[in-house]
Amino acid sequence: MTLMPPFVSNASITRPERKSKISASRKLMLKSLMVAKAKEDLEQELAEKEEQKEKYLEEKTPALNINSMSLEELQNLCEELHSKINVVDEERYDIEAKVTHNTREIKDLNIKVLDLRGKFKRPNLRRVRVSADAILRSLLGSKHKVSLDLRANLKSVKKEDTEKEKTAEVSDWRKNVEAMSGMEGRKKMFDAAKGPAQ
C-alpha cells in the first residue's frame, strides 16, 4: 500500500490502465507449453485405458491349451465360443436398438420443447438509427445503388422559366381567335383583364 499525503483523497487519484505484464511472445510460448502438456496427459490417459483393457481381458479370458485337446474337444470348444459370440451379438443389437430409439425420442422431445418455448428466444431489440439509404442497401443488396436524397431528385425551377410560361399563355389567346369567340371567349378576356388589376 502506498502512502498518500493527507490532502489528496482516493477519489482524485486516477490510476493508469494496467498493461499486461506478459509479452506476446511469452504468452505464445506459455500456450504452446500448455498444449504440449495436455497432449502428454491425453496420451498417458489412452495408454492407461489400454492397460486396463488388457488386464480385464486377461482376467475374463484364460489362456487355452489347444495342444493337449482332442478333435472333439476342440469342436465342442468352438461351438461353445460361437454360442457365446451369438449371445453377445444379440445383446449388442438390442442395446443399439434401445440407443437409437432413445436418441429419436430425445430429438422429438427437443423439438416439442422448442415449439412450446416459441421456437426461438427473442432477443431484446434496441432502437437503431438507420438512414434510408442503409435500409435500401440492406433490402436490395450492395449491387443496386439507390439514393433517397430527395432534394437531389427534385426538379429545380427557375423564376425566369415561370415568367416565360406566363407570357406564352397570354400571347396564346390572341393567336387563337376561334377559341376566344363567343361568350366563353369574352368571359376569359374579361377575367384575364380583371386578374392583374386585383
Side-chain angles (χ1 to χ4, degrees), residues 130-142 144:
V130 181
S131 67
D133 290 334
I135 292 171
L136 278 176
R137 209 175 302 120
S138 66
L139 291 174
L140 300 176
S142 60
H144 303 283

Side-chain angles (χ1 to χ4, degrees), residues 11-110:
S12 65
I13 297 176
T14 57
R15 294 186 178 128
E17 290 190 29
R18 286 185 159 186
K19 290 185 178 179
S20 179
K21 293 182 180 180
I22 303 172
S23 65
S25 59
R26 177 102 171 119
K27 280 184 186 178
L28 186 65
M29 187 185 74
L30 288 173
K31 281 183 183 179
S32 62
L33 288 174
M34 288 170 63
V35 168
K37 177 68 174 156
K39 188 177 178 183
E40 287 176 12
D41 290 346
L42 185 64
E43 289 173 356
Q44 187 177 359
E45 188 178 326
L46 290 173
E48 287 175 2
K49 282 184 180 179
E50 195 66 34
E51 287 175 10
Q52 288 176 353
K53 185 178 176 182
E54 287 176 7
K55 285 180 183 177
Y56 180 81
L57 288 174
E58 285 176 7
E59 290 173 5
K60 296 292 179 181
T61 56
L64 296 175
N65 287 334
I66 301 173
N67 298 335
S68 62
M69 292 183 165
S70 66
L71 185 63
E72 288 180 24
E73 290 176 342
L74 283 175
Q75 286 176 346
N76 290 338
L77 180 66
C78 287
E79 288 173 5
E80 192 179 313
L81 289 174
H82 280 293
S83 64
K84 286 182 180 178
I85 289 171
N86 289 337
V87 169
V88 169
D89 277 344
E90 288 174 5
E91 288 178 2
R92 184 178 55 83
Y93 178 78
D94 291 342
I95 291 170
E96 282 180 358
K98 285 181 184 177
V99 167
T100 54
H101 178 71
N102 288 342
T103 53
R104 197 176 306 124
E105 274 188 29
I106 289 170
K107 284 181 183 178
D108 292 342
L109 291 174
N110 282 337

Side-chain angles (χ1 to χ4, degrees), residues 132-198:
D133 290 334
I135 292 171
L136 278 176
R137 209 175 302 120
S138 66
L139 291 174
L140 300 176
S142 60
K143 293 179 182 176
H144 303 283
K145 290 192 176 181
V146 179
S147 67
L148 263 186
D149 189 9
L150 297 176
R151 290 182 180 166
N153 293 338
L154 289 175
K155 190 176 186 181
S156 61
V157 178
K158 296 179 183 176
K159 275 191 171 180
E160 297 170 5
D161 294 341
T162 56
E163 290 173 7
K164 286 179 184 176
E165 288 174 7
K166 285 181 183 177
T167 55
E169 289 175 5
V170 172
S171 62
D172 250 357
W173 70 269
R174 290 182 186 148
K175 291 178 183 175
N176 194 357
V177 176
E178 291 177 1
M180 297 309 246
S181 63
M183 288 301 279
E184 292 174 350
R186 288 186 183 162
K187 185 180 178 190
K188 284 182 188 176
M189 286 173 55
F190 180 76
D191 289 343
K194 197 177 186 184
Q198 289 178 353

